[in-house]
Amino acid sequence: MLTIEQTAFYVENGYLLVEDVVTPEQLKRMQDITHDFIERSRNVIESNDVYDLDEGHGFETPKLTRIKLPHKQHPFFWDILKNSGITEVLRQLIGPNAVLQTSKLNAKAPGGGAAVEWHQDWAFYPHTNDDMLAFGVFLEDVTEDNGPLQVIPGSHKGPILSHNSADGVFCGAVDPDDPDFQIGKAVKITGKAGSMSIHHARTLHGSAPNVSDRARLMLFYECCAADAWPLMGGSAYIQRLSQQQQWDDLQDRMIIGNPVLQPRMREVPVRLPYPPASDVSSIFKVQKSGGAKSAFG
């Protein structure tokens, strides 16, 4: 899927746009499934295990921030990760053994869909090495006015900035006034439906509200090399499982190859996401309840 030049660009800049990563048929299937989920959300009155509701959500105007863990909500979202151009991109950038960290479908609604403040994914889940990335599959055209993903090129080679508020709480966002946060270098990643953005786990990124009259539906997969093991023991969900259940869960999340039982250690900068915000159910809730300062006004 990737040329030598594309791979070199990703290594140098920490992000990449890949066009036509899925077939038109695969794209149409994902769009239909997503629109069906949005339609069914009309009768949902509060966030639950499937939906994160945005402000103003209602039966007449369904507005979502996110569909949670789409690969568990519909099998096609898992199949597309394992059997498409996405799979081959993962193989080229991560290697023969790769595992899914998590997935989400951000459904940034028209007319003000919620912003995601600037952050580094690595701040949420440090591992033994940083061979980790996120794919953002465009289910609709992404333009400059419907809240595109923005990145700061090369930031994956720099420090892990503080993601704690002035009160010391982990808020999942950097302080816009941090001198190491160089907003002037930000690049917007736009493209046609069927394209895919890629960003390294340490790349600074965020997205402004959707001010257009069109949705910005993006399917995100966060993946890592199978020999990258979480320094914090995994998510709260994982830690509640027995050892056998944790092993079964790991095997279920393998995308390509096999589990690797010898963690690969690299000297990478690490901060731990503590003390936690009062609501850690999603990044939107972490940033809001943790008191994150907005860079988007």
Side-chain angles (χ1 to χ4, degrees):
M1 285 295 297
L2 301 182
T3 64
I4 294 174
E5 291 76 17
Q6 286 176 308
T7 302
F9 183 92
Y10 171 77
V11 170
E12 178 64 24
N13 294 280
Y15 79 97
L16 184 67
L17 175 69
V18 183
E19 297 180 331
D20 301 320
V21 74
V22 293
T23 68
E25 294 76 18
Q26 290 170 328
L27 174 62
K28 179 64 164 57
R29 179 73 172 128
M30 289 190 289
Q31 290 172 332
D32 289 345
I33 294 168
T34 302
H35 291 146
D36 182 59
F37 270 101
I38 295 173
E39 185 65 23
R40 283 187 277 159
S41 77
R42 291 179 184 273
N43 296 309
V44 178
I45 60 175
E46 61 182 19
S47 297
N48 56 28
D49 291 341
V50 178
Y51 299 107
D52 260 335
L53 305 184
D54 203 349
E55 294 181 8
H57 172 81
F59 183 85
E60 296 297 329
T61 54
K63 298 182 70 174
L64 310 177
T65 56
R66 173 173 294 173
I67 296 170
K68 301 176 181 178
L69 299 175
H71 76 284
K72 289 190 174 183
Q73 310 302 344
H74 196 286
F76 192 74
F77 290 127
W78 176 244
D79 183 68
I80 205 75
L81 178 59
K82 286 183 66 71
N83 300 289
S84 72
I86 302 171
T87 323
E88 297 313 308
V89 172
L90 181 65
R91 197 185 311 275
Q92 287 181 259
L93 295 181
I94 292 293
N97 303 298
V99 64
L100 178 68
Q101 174 78 5
T102 190
S103 71
K104 54 215 174 190
L105 202 165
N106 286 356
K108 195 171 282 196
V116 178
E117 299 298 335
W118 285 89
H119 66 282
Q120 294 162 295
D121 294 340
W122 183 253
F124 288 79
Y125 42 70
H127 280 56
T128 59
N129 67 71
D130 64 353
D131 277 347
M132 308 181 69
L133 52 74
F135 294 144
V137 184
F138 298 6
L139 302 186
E140 306 283 353
D141 291 351
V142 176
T143 60
E144 292 205 1
D145 61 351
N146 69 344
L149 183 71
Q150 302 182 44
V151 299
I152 297 183
S155 55
H156 66 306
K157 297 182 178 181
I160 303 305
L161 304 189
S162 173
H163 287 62
N164 288 47
S165 69
D167 295 329
V169 175
F170 181 78
C171 64
V174 302
D175 186 335
D177 298 322
D178 189 318
D180 288 321
F181 175 49
Q182 300 176 311
I183 185 64
K185 295 183 178 180
V187 172
K188 295 179 180 179
I189 304 179
T190 60
K192 294 291 186 181
S195 300
M196 182 176 77
S197 66
I198 308 169
H199 66 266
H200 190 277
R202 287 171 55 188
T203 298
L204 275 160
H205 62 286
S207 62
N210 179 3
V211 297
S212 75
D213 59 359
R214 296 169 293 101
R216 194 221 67 178
L217 303 175
M218 286 188 69
L219 173 63
F220 282 97
Y221 296 108
E222 297 177 18
C223 311
C224 64
D227 60 5
W229 283 79
L231 296 180
M232 299 171 59
S235 66
Y237 164 75
I238 292 295
Q239 294 183 47
R240 289 195 297 268
L241 303 179
S242 69
Q243 283 188 307
Q244 182 61 52
Q245 289 171 324
Q246 290 184 34
W247 174 244
D248 293 341
D249 176 79
L250 175 61
Q251 291 181 303
D252 287 343
R253 290 186 288 110
M254 290 301 305
I255 307 166
I256 50 177
N258 300 292
V260 178
L261 301 184
Q262 184 173 352
R264 177 163 47 93
M265 311 297 291
R266 277 190 180 170
E267 187 174 349
V268 288
V270 168
R271 289 177 181 261
L272 296 180
Y274 290 120
S278 59
D279 189 341
V280 297
S281 58
S282 73
I283 188 173
F284 303 99
K285 302 296 176 58
V286 169
Q287 292 183 344
K288 184 175 182 178
S289 68
K293 293 174 64 175
S294 179
F296 294 108

